Amino acid sequence: MSRREILELGVMGKVPIDALFELYLETKAGDVLTFHQTRSSASIGGWVYDAAACLAKYLETDHFRRRISGNGSSCSCSGAVNEYPLDVSSAHPLSGKTVVELGAGTGIVGILASYYGSHSVITDLDSLVPLIRYNVQQNSAVLKGTAVGEALCWGDAVPSSIGTPDYLVLANCVYYESSFEPLLQTVLELTDRGSTLVLACYEERTPEIRRLIVRWHDLVQRHFVLEEVDNRQLDNIFWKEYVRVVLMTRK
């Protein structure tokens, strides 16, 4: 009888690999990335959120290309997501860039960024790092860049080895108010004016969460300019009416 492969996931305990659920994400270049997830009630970070999947797929849009090349003055502009199809034969603008993802859970955004050639540091609490690393390992054959899973607790000093990234990802990181100050501290430590674009996404499923995000934005607007991405730019497979994607740049 073969021995079952196990992931040690902290408060979620020892989880057999064959007990994880799989989500398949097809890229515009035709490859399929596989993300393993657990819906354990002991953790809110062990599965792929709709908003995180939308943010990952947003990286493939021409709208994103125009924004980071300086050809789009506002992310609230209209237009269908496939109005300008992505030329998968040309180098993606993420190629060679550095990405840090906070509260990554499964690591879907950072891993897709690495698929397009970025050097991604994908972070979460210690308990979720094995899941991130497993997902990196399972997709490593098709990644054009690099991806590593590391532990990082918001509010703790950021290791000097991480540095200031070109892109900082906050995928569904706002879910309770007591985390605001440590999260903001880490975001400020990882960003510089003119050098880092923050990509954030949220799921406003309830009025309470909507108000929580308003308070978070009130706090971060002291330091950042916020730009809303029109929902017509988001992937129509994963998009739901409660999903928001917001870009932030340091003032």
Side-chain angles (χ1 to χ4, degrees):
M1 183 175 178
S2 61
R3 199 173 163 186
R4 298 177 83 188
E5 189 176 357
I6 299 292
L7 286 184
E8 179 67 63
L9 297 179
V11 295
M12 287 184 280
K14 296 180 179 180
V15 180
I17 295 296
D18 57 14
L20 297 175
F21 300 91
E22 294 178 349
L23 178 139
Y24 302 101
L25 190 74
E26 184 174 1
T27 72
K28 283 200 171 180
D31 291 311
V32 176
L33 302 180
T34 303
F35 294 92
H36 293 78
Q37 54 187 337
T38 173
R39 287 195 174 272
S40 168
S41 60
S43 172
I44 58 173
W47 60 85
V48 176
Y49 288 91
D50 295 324
C54 275
L55 182 55
K57 293 294 285 182
Y58 175 66
L59 302 179
E60 295 189 311
T61 65
D62 189 74
H63 186 271
F64 176 68
R65 282 177 176 256
R66 293 198 310 273
R67 171 57 179 82
I68 64 177
S69 67
N71 295 329
S73 60
S74 172
C75 288
S76 59
C77 60
S78 62
V81 67
N82 293 317
E83 184 178 354
Y84 302 98
L86 180 67
D87 179 5
V88 297
S89 65
S90 63
H92 193 280
L94 285 172
S95 181
K97 300 297 185 180
T98 53
V99 173
V100 172
E101 183 173 2
L102 300 180
T106 62
I108 187 171
V109 185
I111 290 173
L112 186 63
S114 293
Y115 171 81
Y116 284 108
S118 76
H119 305 294
S120 298
V121 180
I122 306 170
T123 73
D124 211 312
L125 298 174
D126 278 321
S127 60
L128 283 165
V129 171
L131 183 61
I132 294 170
R133 291 176 176 170
Y134 185 74
N135 281 329
V136 169
Q137 173 194 333
Q138 293 301 299
N139 293 291
S140 59
V142 296
L143 301 184
K144 301 171 185 65
T146 61
V148 294
E150 300 290 348
L152 181 61
C153 184
W154 304 337
D156 289 352
V158 176
S160 58
S161 58
I162 292 181
T164 301
D166 297 300
Y167 300 95
L168 179 64
V169 176
L170 310 177
N172 259 41
C173 288
V174 176
Y175 39 84
Y176 57 90
E177 196 155 1
S178 61
S179 70
F180 284 8
E181 289 296 340
L183 176 58
L184 180 59
Q185 178 183 328
T186 298
V187 170
L188 290 173
E189 191 172 348
L190 283 166
T191 55
D192 281 331
R193 183 178 181 185
S195 64
T196 305
L197 178 65
V198 180
L199 303 107
C201 64
Y202 314 99
E203 293 188 3
E204 295 184 333
R205 291 175 178 267
T206 66
E208 291 75 19
I209 294 177
R210 192 172 299 113
R211 289 191 291 269
L212 189 70
I213 292 168
V214 168
R215 293 195 293 274
W216 164 248
H217 281 173
D218 286 343
L219 181 65
V220 298
Q221 282 182 120
R222 303 172 192 172
H223 309 277
F224 291 87
V225 176
L226 275 57
E227 305 174 30
E228 190 93 20
V229 176
D230 189 284
N231 60 29
R232 285 169 290 185
Q233 307 299 333
L234 303 179
D235 184 80
N236 43 15
I237 294 176
F238 292 103
W239 182 79
K240 302 290 188 296
E241 67 279 356
Y242 49 75
V243 168
R244 287 178 67 190
V245 172
V246 175
L247 308 186
M248 307 181 190
T249 51
R250 285 287 291 268
K251 292 181 176 178

